[in-house]
Amino acid sequence: MQDYYAKWGENGIVDIKHEFEKLLMLISGHCLLGKEVRDNMFDEVFSLFHELDSGVGLGSVIFPYIPIPSHIRRDKAHAKLAKIFYKIVRSRRDSNRPAEQDVLQYLIDSKHRDGSSTTEQEVTGWIISMVFAGKHTSTNSTTWTGACLLTHDKFLTEALDEQKHMIQKHGDHIDYNVLLDMDILHCCIKEALRMHPVAPIIYRKAQKSFVVRTREGDAYDIPEGHNLLSPMIFNNRLPYIYKDPHMYDLDRFAPKREEDKVGGMFSYTSFGGGRHICIGEAYAYMQIKVIWSHLLRNFELKLESPFPKTNWSKILLEPWGKVMVSYKRRRLPTA
């Protein structure tokens, strides 16, 4: 983290969406992709994933194979990524070197329920899917968190005060337990994702017939086997659950209000809900906390571009265009 931000210099202006995309790709490279990518071909793989991302929009869901330029670039990028990871998997299996400690190696060594080993094609597909999904959602979440925080002075001050308190209490030793104590920063992320969920809709299939009853007393029969769509973009802004739902307000999660629990266990669904809730929720919070706690402690930041609009043409909702932030290096006082 420190090495990455060292290149920023003492002051300047950057597009934080692009910076976070690259930073989170570095994190994914460390955790998922292995040293072969990190040491020898990171820039190439990063560029290929960027091409893959640019070819995935709402139109791609309806017409995934229409031969438009973005789809052609997407398919070429996917083919190159598949070739790269296939070679890495094959090389590891043929090598007598000690096994690497990363997710890629875990997938290579894993077996199916019938005892058969995973194939190179399966491992390649899983890795590409995991990196694509995790990098994209985390980039958007981290960017929305920053855009919201840097446009609300009251909560920015509270977040800075929390970092000062952490420094006074723990110094530079910021570990897992310290990050868990950053309740204000946690709420900054949570409120940003309430207003700007990465995925606009949750898809579910009814495993048995049931009845949905509304607050107004209406009843709807849901037959077994039917698909259900739950629009998070609307659920997270229901006025009878969230007071002034279009306002960015960390206090709505405070003990006396707890608006995310008012309507029951599914009042807040930015990470889904039920048995299929996102398994990466805790990891996502921790990852974004690591990034923003470091930035708040070490930089004075200001949003220079207008607050970003939502790009509705994407499957995963992201900030539209560049998100330009100026920075000046600093160090929060310890007393």
Side-chain angles (χ1 to χ4, degrees):
M1 181 77 70
Q2 293 179 351
D3 291 342
Y4 180 84
Y5 289 117
K7 69 182 179 63
W8 279 19
E10 292 299 315
N11 57 75
I13 183 169
V14 293
D15 173 12
I16 59 169
K17 187 171 77 169
H18 174 76
E19 294 294 324
F20 290 152
E21 182 183 11
K22 195 161 189 177
L23 173 60
L24 287 158
M25 188 67 194
L26 281 167
I27 295 173
S28 295
H30 183 78
C31 299
L32 302 175
L33 303 181
K35 66 182 184 64
E36 296 93 340
V37 171
R38 294 197 310 272
D39 296 347
N40 303 311
M41 57 184 73
F42 174 80
D43 289 338
E44 179 186 4
V45 170
F46 173 76
S47 297
L48 290 172
F49 270 106
H50 187 77
E51 287 291 336
L52 195 66
D53 177 44
S54 64
V56 179
L58 288 179
S60 304
V61 177
I62 304 172
F63 303 108
Y65 304 113
I66 187 171
I68 58 177
S70 61
H71 284 179
I72 294 172
R73 292 194 299 269
R74 175 202 65 190
D75 294 342
K76 287 183 178 179
H78 184 272
K80 289 180 180 179
L81 284 169
K83 186 175 181 179
I84 288 172
F85 289 119
Y86 183 93
K87 287 183 176 180
I88 292 174
V89 174
R90 173 51 60 187
S91 175
R92 286 195 181 190
R93 281 184 163 162
D94 293 341
S95 173
N96 293 322
R97 298 191 306 269
E100 299 292 332
Q101 298 298 313
D102 52 37
V103 173
L104 177 60
Q105 189 63 48
Y106 174 81
L107 293 175
I108 292 172
D109 295 337
S110 62
K111 296 183 181 298
H112 295 290
R113 290 183 177 179
D114 62 2
S116 60
S117 299
T118 56
T119 66
E120 285 80 359
Q121 291 86 349
E122 288 172 333
V123 174
T124 295
W126 290 333
I127 280 293
I128 292 175
S129 299
M130 291 170 65
V131 173
F132 179 77
K135 176 188 74 71
H136 196 97
T137 54
S138 295
T139 297
N140 293 343
S141 301
T142 309
T143 304
W144 283 123
T145 297
C148 290
L149 193 55
L150 296 179
T151 49
H152 294 82
D153 291 341
K154 175 180 180 293
F155 299 120
L156 176 59
T157 299
E158 290 182 11
L160 286 169
D161 289 342
E162 180 178 61
Q163 293 304 310
K164 293 176 184 177
H165 174 71
M166 293 296 164
I167 291 174
Q168 292 169 355
K169 187 176 180 180
H170 304 285
D172 289 330
H173 183 67
I174 306 297
D175 59 15
Y176 176 79
N177 292 320
V178 176
L179 290 165
L180 284 180
D181 284 340
M182 296 181 185
D183 295 330
I184 294 175
L185 187 53
H186 184 93
C187 289
C188 291
I189 302 165
K190 188 172 184 175
E191 178 68 342
L193 291 181
R194 180 191 69 82
M195 300 185 70
H196 305 280
V198 174
I201 296 173
I202 300 175
Y203 299 85
R204 293 290 187 267
K205 184 175 183 178
Q207 298 300 310
K208 62 181 180 179
S209 299
F210 62 97
V211 178
V212 173
R213 300 188 184 278
T214 69
R215 296 173 68 249
E216 293 77 17
D218 298 321
Y220 296 91
D221 292 321
I222 309 298
E224 178 184 350
H226 278 219
N227 293 320
L228 304 175
L229 305 181
S230 180
M232 286 188 288
I233 197 70
F234 297 115
N235 296 346
N236 286 354
R237 300 193 183 205
L238 293 173
Y240 61 85
I241 292 180
Y242 295 104
K243 180 182 177 181
D244 299 322
H246 297 286
M247 299 290 292
Y248 181 80
D249 182 7
L250 307 188
D251 296 333
R252 68 174 75 255
F253 302 122
K256 293 183 179 180
R257 291 173 62 180
E258 293 187 312
E259 293 178 0
D260 57 316
K261 300 178 182 178
V262 169
M265 62 186 298
F266 299 118
S267 295
Y268 185 91
T269 56
S270 290
F271 286 92
R275 66 191 303 177
H276 296 295
I277 193 170
C278 175
I279 60 174
E281 178 179 4
Y283 175 76
Y285 274 114
M286 193 60 58
Q287 184 171 236
I288 300 172
K289 279 184 180 181
V290 168
I291 293 170
W292 273 105
S293 63
H294 180 86
L295 288 173
L296 292 172
R297 292 195 311 272
N298 292 280
F299 295 93
E300 181 180 333
L301 304 163
K302 180 181 178 182
L303 183 64
E304 298 292 347
S305 57
F307 187 87
K309 296 181 179 180
T310 301
N311 186 349
W312 296 100
S313 68
K314 296 288 188 177
I315 297 175
L316 301 178
L317 304 181
E318 65 180 42
W320 186 282
K322 296 181 178 181
V323 184
M324 304 305 296
V325 169
S326 62
Y327 64 89
K328 182 188 299 182
R329 196 172 290 273
R330 64 146 174 230
R331 186 73 174 176
L332 287 181
T334 58

